[in-house]
Amino acid sequence: MSETPLATAVVRWYDKNARDLPWREPGVGAWAILVSEVMLQQTPVVRVLPAWRAWLTRWPEPAVLAADTPAEAIRMWGRLGYPRRALRLHECAVALVERHGGAVPTELEQLLALPGVGSYTARAVATFAYGRRHPVVDTNVRRVVARAVAGEPDAGLATRPADLVATEALLPAEPAVAARASAAFMELGAVVCTARSPRCVDCPLVDRCAWRASGQAAPAGPTRRPQRYAGTDRQVRGRLLAVLRESTVPVAREQLDLVWADDVQRARALAGLVEDGLVQALAADRYALAGEPGNAVPQL
């Protein structure tokens, strides 16, 4: 398989227009790339940048994080959102030390076997860290392929096996070139071929895009409904975690009761945090972050 015209055009565009992101710099290791991929899940780049730098400053290698507590990972995660990702990264670091001598493996099967590493993340790390030839398919890539190849305005809500096949067909044969093409397709979807306001005049595929040639308009409404935050259990969980992150000693239930007026919703959110392994319930109706040292008191 030789280079495809679409990949060639997008890589040339990427070489001139790619955003200057620190995890793309030459020499950045696989651990740093893995951390970036986990943080970037459902979180904008602008919020990830300072968190990524702080995380790698404190834990530049998996072994350093593995030697620390889950509580510190949750605390360091701060307000980045979806804090279970912090626990997964800690579990992943422990597994990397136990199974791979503290190194991030190169093979897709080994990456997929790590806790908290799914299909997308495993392919992204193998591709961007090690230059392997794998289809790396996120929402942005699916949208580019759907429009440029299939002539559809959108790719739908979830990644399907057919999306991996369609994307892989566009990748050049040479693994290193394919890896760059994967990054280029992703970047194009993120900054040009966007869901609501695509900048077709700036797109390197404008003259060969099947969707543009069809004359179809972009969908009138969002493909997926924006998630409400205010008043949800997610907001309550965030407030409870904020109190626990700021304390290195167990927090009394009475103190947590102050963060939200609705007793039923607050209790449900707190129980969910305990069930998810982010918070531990201790004796005397006190609570602490999971793995907080010195707090493993049996519940009465």
Side-chain angles (χ1 to χ4, degrees):
M1 183 190 309
S2 59
E3 291 190 29
T4 67
L6 262 67
T8 299
V10 175
V11 168
R12 287 174 179 168
W13 169 86
Y14 180 80
D15 288 343
K16 296 179 180 178
N17 298 281
R19 289 170 293 177
D20 184 16
L21 300 177
W23 43 82
R24 291 176 176 169
E25 294 177 0
V28 172
W31 169 242
I33 291 173
L34 172 57
V35 172
S36 76
E37 290 296 341
V38 173
M39 287 187 169
L40 286 165
Q41 295 167 9
Q42 299 179 289
T43 308
V45 168
V46 67
R47 293 186 60 204
V48 167
L49 282 168
W52 181 84
R53 291 190 176 99
W55 189 280
L56 270 298
T57 297
R58 179 165 182 178
W59 298 306
E61 301 292 341
V64 188
L65 175 57
D68 217 328
T69 65
E72 285 306 301
I74 299 169
R75 186 170 284 117
M76 192 70 174
W77 197 258
R79 303 186 67 84
L80 200 56
Y82 302 99
R84 276 179 289 183
R85 292 180 292 172
L87 279 183
R88 301 292 86 79
L89 269 176
H90 187 273
E91 292 170 3
C92 183
V94 171
L96 288 172
V97 171
E98 293 177 348
R99 304 176 195 173
H100 303 287
V104 178
T106 61
E107 299 304 317
L108 182 62
E109 293 75 14
Q110 293 175 316
L111 288 164
L112 286 168
L114 294 171
V117 175
S119 175
Y120 165 79
T121 302
R123 285 177 167 82
V125 172
T127 298
F128 302 141
Y130 296 117
R132 299 302 177 91
R133 186 183 183 277
H134 295 293
V136 183
V137 182
D138 68 352
T139 301
N140 293 316
V141 174
R142 289 194 299 114
R143 185 168 56 252
V144 169
V145 175
R147 288 176 175 173
V149 178
E152 299 293 336
D154 203 279
L157 296 177
T159 300
R160 304 161 299 172
D163 296 319
L164 294 172
V165 174
T167 303
E168 185 173 14
L170 299 177
L171 297 179
E174 174 61 36
V177 183
R180 193 153 186 82
S182 291
F185 282 124
M186 191 174 298
E187 183 78 347
L188 184 67
V191 302
V192 173
C193 191
T194 57
R196 299 280 70 82
S197 302
R199 296 187 289 110
C200 295
V201 294
D202 298 325
C203 182
L205 304 180
V206 64
D207 294 329
R208 64 189 81 198
C209 176
W211 172 58
R212 183 171 172 83
S214 72
Q216 296 184 61
T223 303
R224 60 179 73 198
R225 189 181 302 274
Q227 293 184 341
R228 181 172 61 91
Y229 181 73
T232 64
D233 284 5
R234 279 187 59 215
Q235 184 180 21
V236 185
R237 285 163 61 104
R239 292 191 178 184
L240 292 168
L241 276 179
V243 174
L244 294 167
R245 283 198 309 268
E246 293 169 5
S247 176
T248 56
V249 297
V251 175
R253 178 67 173 262
E254 291 80 3
Q255 187 176 346
L256 294 175
D257 287 346
L258 299 176
V259 308
W260 199 258
D262 187 325
D263 293 342
V264 174
Q265 188 179 24
R266 186 182 62 249
R268 182 173 65 241
L270 182 57
L273 290 171
V274 173
E275 183 178 354
D276 289 344
L278 291 162
V279 170
Q280 53 183 331
L282 307 175
D285 211 15
R286 293 176 178 270
Y287 296 83
L289 293 178
E292 192 80 88
N295 291 332
V297 181
Q299 191 168 12
L300 300 178

